[in-house]
Amino acid sequence: MPSEHQSVSGDELSSLPETPTTPDAPSPPADVPSADRAARRAVVLFPLLVVAAGVIGLLWPAHFTGWAPAVPWMLGVVMFLMGLTLTPPDFTAIARRPWPVGLGLVAHYVIMPGLGWLVATVLDLPPQLAAGVILVGCAPSGTASNVITYLARGDVALSVSVATVSTVVAPLVTPPLTLLLAGKFLSVDAGSMVVDILKTVLAPVLVGLAVRLALGRYVDRALRLLPWLSAAAVAVIVLVVISGSAARIKDAAALVFLAVVLHNGLGLLLGYGAGKLARLSRPASRAMAFEVGMQNSGLAASLATAHFSPAAALPAAIFSVWHNVSGAAVAAWMSRAARRS
């Protein structure tokens, strides 16, 4: 959360210059520092906003009783805003680079679901929490992955392509993967989950894309506001999730946090490793790291709340904060390494 995938909700990538995609690329043009500062400010402030929402939900949960039905609507807002950021070149870029995009898609939906199951099994998580961790792993790429890739001097075009495709195929991939891996922990209604993803993810994205095509001139003027609107919607999701499971957080928070750190950290590492193993360039491998390790935790929280319980949504809520923090830290390290090389 900004998890969750918009190619720009949390990522102002339609207004940010693309990072060069060769190992020895020259420095970005002169207008990059202001865009870079805006991106870094967003990466810092988004988690703070989400943390603040979580604290409010934890301290005053009674005030938000009955807010659970708002979660799918808030996710729909996030995905609509993602659609507003997409343009036809985003889709032609996919066709021009089928091999790395396909590799990123397969790596994302193999590594993160598998890691979710492995972490839940090794830590012997309770069924609700185990299902929540696995559901996070089965979600598409996270909303902040594009801007984190930009900050890491990674291949932004590849990042946007993988994130877009992973979101579009989510209705076909996320439910069966969840059924396969989480079915031993809880009953999973994959058919109902497909319908929910179509309603809260794919339909809003398509509507947003249609609005962008019809009213692009006006949408362009508002692009820098979209990440903040998305962040506000994600904050509401976290607020509702945390307030709904406040009674269990004291007992489970440390264990869930450990699970999230392991899941995210191993995802970043294996995503980068997949890129290197496939002999992709260093910038492309950086993009792979973030497209694999960062998840649409807003979708995971919404599905967990609707199909499991508020407790099952707790891993998604914590993931939504942590993957932005860890992603920003890894991006800073990669950026320094890229400059030295």
Side-chain angles (χ1 to χ4, degrees), residues 105-150:
L105 182 67
V106 171
H108 179 86
Y109 279 118
V110 170
I111 291 174
M112 289 305 280
L115 284 176
W117 178 87
L118 181 64
V119 168
T121 301
V122 170
L123 295 182
D124 194 23
L125 296 178
Q128 295 286 343
L129 297 180
V133 169
I134 291 170
L135 187 52
V136 169
C138 295
S141 296
T143 50
S145 59
N146 301 157
V147 75
I148 294 294
T149 297
Y150 167 77

Side-chain angles (χ1 to χ4, degrees), residues 178-332:
T178 305
L179 175 63
L180 174 67
L181 298 174
K184 78 167 191 174
F185 297 101
L186 291 175
S187 175
V188 178
D189 186 346
S192 178
M193 198 175 285
V194 169
V195 174
D196 281 352
I197 297 175
L198 288 172
K199 291 191 301 184
T200 61
V201 175
L202 193 56
V205 168
L206 294 177
V207 172
L209 176 60
V211 171
R212 176 68 181 271
L213 293 176
L215 303 171
R217 182 189 311 173
Y218 303 100
V219 174
D220 288 344
R221 298 173 184 173
L223 279 178
R224 289 192 176 273
L225 293 176
L226 301 187
W228 304 102
L229 294 175
S230 175
V234 169
V236 172
I237 294 174
V238 171
L239 172 66
V240 175
V241 169
I242 294 296
S243 64
S245 55
R248 293 200 57 185
I249 286 180
K250 291 182 179 179
D251 297 329
L255 185 60
V256 174
F257 183 73
L258 175 60
V260 165
V261 170
L262 288 173
H263 196 187
N264 169 245
L266 290 172
L268 293 171
L269 179 63
L270 294 179
Y272 185 83
K276 297 302 290 184
L277 189 64
R279 298 184 181 278
L280 299 183
S281 67
R282 280 176 289 180
S285 296
R286 294 182 203 124
M288 288 281 290
F290 300 115
E291 288 309 316
V292 170
M294 301 185 72
Q295 301 296 95
N296 189 331
S297 44
L299 173 60
S302 177
L303 293 176
T305 301
H307 294 271
F308 302 141
S309 70
L314 184 58
I318 295 177
F319 201 102
S320 69
V321 179
W322 176 252
H323 76 160
N324 286 289
V325 174
S326 66
V330 172

Side-chain angles (χ1 to χ4, degrees), residues 18-26 153-155 281-284 286 338 341:
E18 181 180 325
T19 302
T21 57
T22 58
D24 303 312
R153 297 175 64 85
D155 188 333
S281 67
R282 280 176 289 180
R286 294 182 203 124
S341 65

